[in-house]
Amino acid sequence: MDDFVRDKLTEWGLRELIETFKEQKIDRKSLYCLEDQDIVELIPLVGPRSVFKTELKLLKEQNTANPDTSHASAQVIPSTSGRRNDGKRKSDLQGESNQQQSPTKKQHLAKEIKTLTKVKDIMRRVLKTIPPEKNNLNDFLRRKIHDLETDERKVVGVFGKTGAGKSSLINAVIGLNKFLPSGSVSACTSVLIKVEANMQNQKGEAIIEFITKEEWRDELWFSKHFGLENEEDDHREIVEKLSALYGEDWKEKSSDDLMDGK
Ligand SMILES: Nc1nc2c(ncn2[C@@H]2O[C@H](COP(=O)(O)OP(=O)(O)OP(=O)(O)O)[C@@H](O)[C@H]2O)c(=O)[nH]1
Ligand SMILES: [Mg+2]
C-alpha cells in the first residue's frame, strides 16, 4: 500500500477498504492491474465494489487521456450556462461525448454516486447525534435521512419516433392513464421528458423548461442553414424534430416562414 492508493480510496469515499488493500499489498502499479475477479475477492459488498470499479475505470481513462496529470482528481465539468455558440441547447448535448472537453455520462454518474456516498456517510453520523426524544424536528430529520438511505435511482430511457407510443407506455407502467399527454394528431411530447417519483408527497409536479421565441428562431435558423450538413445523427434528429412539429413541408419553407406559421 502506498500513499497513492490510500489517497484514492479516501477520495472515493472507500476508506473502509484501506486495511484490506494494505494487507493485500496493493500499490499504485497493482491497482491498475486488478482484474474483475481480484476486485470481487477484495470487495465482497456490491455497493462499495461498484463505486470502486467505476472510479478505477475513470482513473484509467484519465490516465490514458492525460498521463501527466493522472494523479489529479479534478474533472472537467461542462459549462451549464445553457447554450453553445452553435445554437444547441444544453439538453441537446446529452448524447455528446467529447472526451477532451467534457466528461462522459459515466463520469457524471460516478460523480453522483460519489457525492451520494459521501452525503450518506455524513448523514449517518448526523443520525447518531439526533437526541432520542420524539418531536417534530427529530422525526423529520430521521425520516429525511431514512429517505436518503433508501434513495436508489435508476434511469430508464424510452426512445422512439413521434407517435411510437412512448408516453402511453410510461403511463401504463406508472399506472396513471393521463399522466403524460398522448395523441395521434401531431407531436405530443416532442421534447425531452423526465419522469421521476415525487419522494416529498403524493402530488405530481411538472418542471418545464421553456425557451424564448428568439432562442427557437436561432435554433431553427441554425438547423435549416447548417444543421442538416452535420453528421448523420444530428441530421436525422433535426429532420425528425422539424417533421414532427411542422409536418413534412417544412423542407420547402424558410425558417422565417416556419416561425410565422407557428
Ligand atoms: N394500437 C395501439 N396504439 C397505441 C399503442 N400505444 C400507443 N398507441 C396510440 O398511439 C398514439 C401515439 O401514442 P403516444 O404515446 O402519444 O406516442 P409518443 O411516442 O409519446 O409520441 P410523441 O410524444 O409525439 O413523441 C396514441 O393515439 C396512442 O393511443 C399501442 O400499443 N397500440
Ligand atoms: Mg409522448
Side-chain angles (χ1 to χ4, degrees):
M1 155 81 67
D2 53 22
D3 284 351
F4 179 80
V5 176
R6 183 181 288 104
D7 290 349
K8 283 293 156 203
L9 290 174
T10 308
E11 189 187 307
W12 298 343
L14 298 169
R15 251 190 312 236
E16 73 270 20
L17 300 177
I18 290 178
E19 228 18 69
T20 315
F21 276 56
K22 205 167 152 186
E23 280 166 18
Q24 297 298 320
K25 297 198 176 356
I26 294 169
D27 58 9
R28 183 178 187 151
K29 191 175 174 196
S30 51
L31 183 74
Y32 286 110
C33 301
L34 287 176
E35 302 278 346
D36 270 2
Q37 186 54 34
D38 302 325
I39 297 174
V40 171
E41 283 167 24
L42 274 167
I43 317 170
L45 292 175
V46 178
R49 187 164 71 229
S50 57
V51 175
F52 178 84
K53 283 176 78 170
T54 313
E55 293 285 8
L56 184 61
K57 193 158 172 257
L58 287 174
L59 186 65
K60 285 179 182 174
E61 281 171 9
Q62 276 175 8
N63 204 9
T64 318
N66 196 358
D68 294 340
T69 55
S70 61
H71 57 280
S73 63
Q75 293 179 347
V76 185
I77 305 298
S79 159
T80 52
S81 60
R83 296 176 72 90
R84 296 192 315 185
N85 51 11
D86 64 0
K88 276 186 165 186
R89 274 172 291 133
K90 72 181 173 208
S91 54
D92 295 332
L93 300 175
Q94 290 178 345
E96 295 185 355
S97 60
N98 185 341
Q99 300 253 341
Q100 296 302 316
Q101 292 164 1
S102 61
T104 61
K105 278 185 185 171
K106 277 186 184 168
Q107 283 172 308
H108 279 303
L109 190 63
K111 215 167 147 41
E112 273 184 27
I113 293 173
K114 202 163 112 180
T115 309
L116 195 62
T117 311
K118 273 187 190 159
V119 172
K120 283 181 179 178
D121 203 32
I122 295 167
M123 294 320 272
R124 258 180 238 126
R125 275 183 266 144
V126 174
L127 190 63
K128 284 183 193 154
T129 66
I130 300 175
E133 296 94 68
K134 271 189 132 331
N135 61 37
N136 283 350
L137 178 64
N138 293 350
D139 289 351
F140 172 82
L141 291 173
R142 277 194 208 95
R143 200 170 55 247
K144 287 290 159 200
I145 293 172
H146 175 76
D147 286 351
L148 190 67
E149 282 293 333
T150 52
D151 180 23
E152 258 205 47
R153 292 177 198 211
K154 300 270 183 260
V155 180
V156 179
V158 182
F159 304 90
K161 285 190 171 177
T162 183
K166 302 177 294 294
S167 299
S168 308
L169 175 69
I170 294 169
N171 287 346
V173 169
I174 61 178
L176 293 171
N177 199 13
K178 293 186 176 154
F179 188 76
L180 290 178
S182 123
S184 53
V185 181
S186 64
C188 231
T189 36
S190 61
V191 289
L192 288 175
I193 297 269
K194 188 175 176 190
V195 178
E196 264 185 32
N198 186 348
M199 306 302 282
Q200 314 301 323
N201 55 53
Q202 295 293 310
K203 285 187 191 156
E205 263 173 37
I207 302 170
I208 301 169
E209 183 196 356
F210 288 104
I211 58 167
T212 63
K213 200 172 173 183
E214 280 61 43
E215 284 175 321
W216 176 241
R217 189 186 289 279
D218 286 351
E219 189 171 333
L220 198 53
W221 183 87
F222 176 82
S223 300
K224 288 277 290 179
H225 287 85
F226 300 106
L228 297 168
E229 295 163 9
N230 275 350
E231 315 154 14
E232 215 177 288
D233 282 355
D234 275 0
H235 181 99
R236 196 172 51 232
E237 191 184 310
I238 290 170
V239 170
E240 284 184 2
K241 196 171 183 175
L242 297 185
S243 304
L245 281 168
Y246 297 110
E248 290 304 320
D249 53 346
W250 65 267
K251 289 167 195 159
E252 281 80 52
K253 294 184 179 171
S254 71
S255 53
D256 283 341
D257 287 345
L258 291 172
M259 281 304 290
D260 293 341
K262 194 89 180 171

